[in-house]
Amino acid sequence: MNSISRPFATRWNDNDVFGHLNNTVYYTAMDTTITGWLVTEGHFDIGTSDVLAFCVSSSCRFIEPAAFPDTLNVTLRAGRIGTTSIAWVLDMFRASDGAQVATGEFVHVFVGRDSHRPVPIPESLRAAVEAELVG
């Protein structure tokens, strides 16, 4: 399975009152990993593209706690690729010991910048996803 992996450094204020990363931090790690890939390897210019990626659903399953100062290694791959949407699959591992701490999914629907209506995934983006993030 083709995937990429990116580090996500946690911050002191990411810990909650229970002494571990707040659940929102995992979503931030997933969103940052996807968006980082889109604007670098995906050739997707979020400032000028006629197409935008809207998150229409997301989920996270927590496996084991992580806490600052842990760094998470976030792997990204494409699950289902439709005509107008991509389901991204992400796994998060604690860098210090390799333990998996969470797994998640983000679904993006691609829409016209002005219309906000679904449009086909841009061909250059589809080609990059299929080349780098599909098994």
Side-chain angles (χ1 to χ4, degrees):
M1 179 72 55
N2 289 348
S3 65
I4 59 104
S5 182
R6 293 193 174 196
F8 183 84
T10 61
R11 305 166 303 167
W12 168 246
N13 68 337
D14 291 337
N15 284 355
D16 62 20
V17 70
F18 302 110
H20 57 75
L21 296 179
N22 184 274
N23 59 39
T24 61
V25 176
Y26 296 89
Y27 286 93
T28 300
M30 290 188 289
D31 197 14
T32 299
T33 300
I34 295 165
T35 303
W37 185 87
L38 282 171
V39 299
T40 56
E41 289 86 356
H43 314 288
F44 190 74
D45 187 333
I46 58 176
T48 63
S49 176
D50 291 337
V51 176
L52 303 174
F54 282 3
C55 179
V56 297
S57 73
S58 60
S59 65
C60 187
R61 186 172 62 86
F62 305 100
I63 299 168
E64 184 173 312
F68 175 83
D70 289 333
T71 294
L72 303 179
N73 287 328
V74 184
T75 62
L76 170 67
R77 65 185 187 279
R80 182 187 41 76
I81 304 172
T83 302
T84 63
S85 65
I86 299 174
W88 307 102
V89 179
L90 301 105
D91 293 300
M92 289 162 271
F93 302 88
R94 192 172 27 248
S96 62
D97 63 5
Q100 186 169 10
V101 297
T103 186
E105 180 183 81
F106 255 59
V107 178
H108 273 144
V109 170
F110 294 84
V111 300
R113 178 178 292 276
D114 296 326
S115 70
H116 291 180
R117 300 297 307 152
V119 297
I121 299 166
E123 284 305 316
S124 61
L125 176 58
R126 179 182 290 279
V129 169
E130 289 175 349
E132 296 180 36
L133 300 176
V134 175

